[in-house]
């Protein structure tokens, strides 16, 4: 299995809602990532988990809360989002950790709309 | 600040020609660069990684070069096909698993 699976594929939420994005990989990769991508822009790094521990937080607002329950799962909890948070949220994993040569395997993303 | 830039937002070429995309970096010397392909509504797909001591890397119709003097990587697709139309992203990393992407080049191959 060489896939990264993200659910849901689409999500519409109000600014007062709480929702979660889920990501799963069964490649035995020990690093997992959340990226945010706006239309016609490159993916922007949000968080990195290495060996199930948060290693990078790119100054992301606290309304985004990541969680790594185990080495195969990565969640992104959303609360009190703003319309400008609407974007494609991408999960990725890599076999390499901290080498500087991480090759990322991406999921298809969750297209989030905040109303 | 450390920057990685793809100066061409879009590139249109005729089928069968070689597409050449450029990635420039400033204010640092990456040990390696990566190239990804992204189709609309999908996540990027890893294509090639080249290290600074590797002048050239090939995979089927793809070729990547790394010129540390010019601070530039070139990505070539030979014998281009309409199916090669996509956005191509270069990326740099650090020892901390921090992978940063360039702005991307949208490649269109016309029949």
């Amino acid at each position: 299995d060489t896939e990264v699976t993200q659910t849901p594929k689409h999500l519409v939420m109000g600014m007062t809602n709480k929702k979660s994005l889920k990501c799963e990989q069964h490649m035995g990769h020990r690093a997992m990532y959340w990226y945010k991508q706006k239309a016609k822009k490159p993916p922007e790094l949000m968080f990195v988990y290495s060996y199930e521990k948060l290693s990078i937080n790119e100054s992301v607002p606290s309304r985004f809360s990541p969680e790594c329950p185990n080495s195969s799962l990565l969640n992104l909890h959303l609360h009190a989002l703003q319309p400008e948070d609407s974007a494609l949220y991408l999960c990725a994993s890599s076999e390499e950790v901290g080498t500087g040569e991480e090759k990322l395997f991406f999921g298809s993303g969750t297209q989030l709309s905040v109303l | 600040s450390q920057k990685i830039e793809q100066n061409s937002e879009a590139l249109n070429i005729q089928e069968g020609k070689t597409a050449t995309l450029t990635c420039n970096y400033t204010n640092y010397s990456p040990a390696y660069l990566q190239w990804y392909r992204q189709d609309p509504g999908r996540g990027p797909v890893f294509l090639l990684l080249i290290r600074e001591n590797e002048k050239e890397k090939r995979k089927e119709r793809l070729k990547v070069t790394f010129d540390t003097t010019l601070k530039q990587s070139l990505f070539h697709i030979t014998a281009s096909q309409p199916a090669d139309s996509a956005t191509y992203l270069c990326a740099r990393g650090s020892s901390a698993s921090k992978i940063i992407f360039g702005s991307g080049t949208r490649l269109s191959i016309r029949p």
Side-chain angles (χ1 to χ4, degrees):
Chain A
D1 186 353
T2 57
E3 280 193 351
V4 175
T5 303
Q6 288 188 245
T7 56
K9 292 194 184 304
H10 302 275
L11 179 62
V12 179
M13 60 186 290
M15 290 189 283
T16 58
N17 291 158
K18 286 185 182 181
K19 296 287 184 183
S20 296
L21 309 184
K22 297 186 183 302
C23 175
E24 190 169 5
Q25 57 88 13
H26 295 288
M27 294 178 280
H29 290 176
R30 302 312 299 269
M32 295 187 77
Y33 308 72
W34 281 114
Y35 281 83
K36 171 183 176 179
Q37 187 175 28
K38 303 281 267 186
K40 299 190 184 302
K41 297 291 187 184
E44 293 179 17
L45 183 63
M46 300 175 72
F47 303 104
V48 180
Y49 273 83
S50 303
Y51 299 106
E52 301 164 47
K53 291 190 184 335
L54 184 64
S55 57
I56 296 177
N57 176 343
E58 289 287 275
S59 303
V60 179
S62 60
R63 57 185 184 270
F64 295 91
S65 175
E67 178 195 20
C68 189
N70 60 55
S71 60
S72 300
L73 294 174
L74 186 66
N75 298 323
L76 186 62
H77 303 296
L78 314 173
H79 173 56
L81 295 193
Q82 304 296 310
E84 59 264 30
D85 296 321
S86 298
L88 181 67
Y89 287 84
L90 292 163
C91 172
S93 68
S94 69
E95 182 177 10
E96 306 86 356
V97 181
T99 65
E101 296 192 20
E102 291 79 358
K103 305 177 198 61
L104 300 181
F105 286 74
F106 281 89
S108 291
T110 294
Q111 187 64 57
L112 174 67
S113 297
V114 182
L115 304 179
Chain B
S1 62
Q2 299 176 349
K3 288 186 178 179
I4 185 164
E5 295 172 323
Q6 295 178 255
N7 295 329
S8 296
E9 187 174 324
L11 180 64
N12 298 294
I13 66 167
Q14 184 79 38
E15 181 178 7
K17 302 290 187 184
T18 296
T20 299
L21 285 63
T22 305
C23 179
N24 296 291
Y25 56 91
T26 55
N27 299 328
Y28 75 109
S29 297
Y32 75 96
L33 289 167
Q34 301 186 40
W35 285 88
Y36 290 77
R37 168 184 172 143
Q38 186 173 24
D39 291 285
R42 308 298 300 271
V45 174
F46 171 79
L47 296 174
L48 284 166
L49 178 151
I50 185 166
R51 299 178 179 86
E52 61 177 344
N53 61 354
E54 296 174 324
K55 297 301 181 189
E56 180 180 297
K57 203 92 171 270
R58 290 175 185 263
K59 178 182 174 183
E60 298 173 353
R61 294 185 294 112
L62 309 180
K63 183 178 84 171
V64 174
T65 61
F66 198 154
D67 189 324
T68 55
T69 301
L70 294 178
K71 292 185 178 291
Q72 183 178 84
S73 175
L74 298 180
F75 176 82
H76 307 272
I77 305 176
T78 58
S80 59
Q81 305 165 1
D84 295 324
S85 298
T87 295
Y88 291 86
L89 300 153
C90 67
R92 66 164 180 92
S94 71
S95 59
S97 297
K98 187 172 176 176
I99 312 300
I100 304 299
F101 288 87
S103 54
T105 296
R106 192 170 61 255
L107 177 65
S108 298
I109 311 295
R110 59 181 185 276

